[in-house]
Amino acid sequence: MTLMDSVSGRDGLYCTVPGNQRYGMTVSINCNFIGQSRKGRLVGTARLTRAGFMLYFTSIEIHNGEGVLVATGSGVHRYRSGSGSPEGVPPESGTA
């Protein structure tokens, strides 16, 4: 679930202005475990399926090290104030 949240949340935060950032938070994550992965590396990918000014939606896939699909999911995320625009906002003090 943590991997899904991390890949999904970052998917909608691309910023068009170098040096600026976009911030978001998770509203909802749906996870479907459909395979097994006993040990080794997991690879998560997310695709932005829809974005509005305040919310963005993603679809998520997790594969094991052999490329076998082990989980799917969907995410709903909310942009923080000022981050709804693709230009983003200047970084908050103390963050890079």
Side-chain angles (χ1 to χ4, degrees):
M1 290 287 287
T2 301
L3 177 59
M4 284 193 152
D5 190 23
S6 181
V7 224
S8 178
R10 296 183 198 294
D11 198 52
L13 299 180
Y14 173 77
C15 185
T16 59
V17 176
N20 279 3
Q21 295 181 355
R22 295 175 84 184
Y23 302 95
M25 62 194 84
T26 302
V27 175
S28 172
I29 289 280
N30 176 44
C31 180
N32 305 299
F33 297 103
I34 58 174
Q36 294 182 3
S37 184
R38 299 200 192 290
K39 62 180 178 179
R41 189 173 80 170
L42 294 174
V43 178
T45 56
R47 189 183 83 230
L48 188 66
T49 56
R50 181 90 171 155
F53 189 72
M54 292 304 293
L55 294 175
Y56 60 98
F57 304 84
T58 60
S59 62
I60 312 154
E61 290 187 349
I62 306 293
H63 293 82
N64 67 14
E66 291 82 42
V68 176
L69 183 65
V70 295
T72 62
S74 60
V76 180
H77 305 273
R78 182 182 184 280
Y79 292 112
R80 283 184 37 197
S81 297
S83 293
S85 167
E87 292 81 24
V89 296
E92 294 178 345
S93 61
T95 62

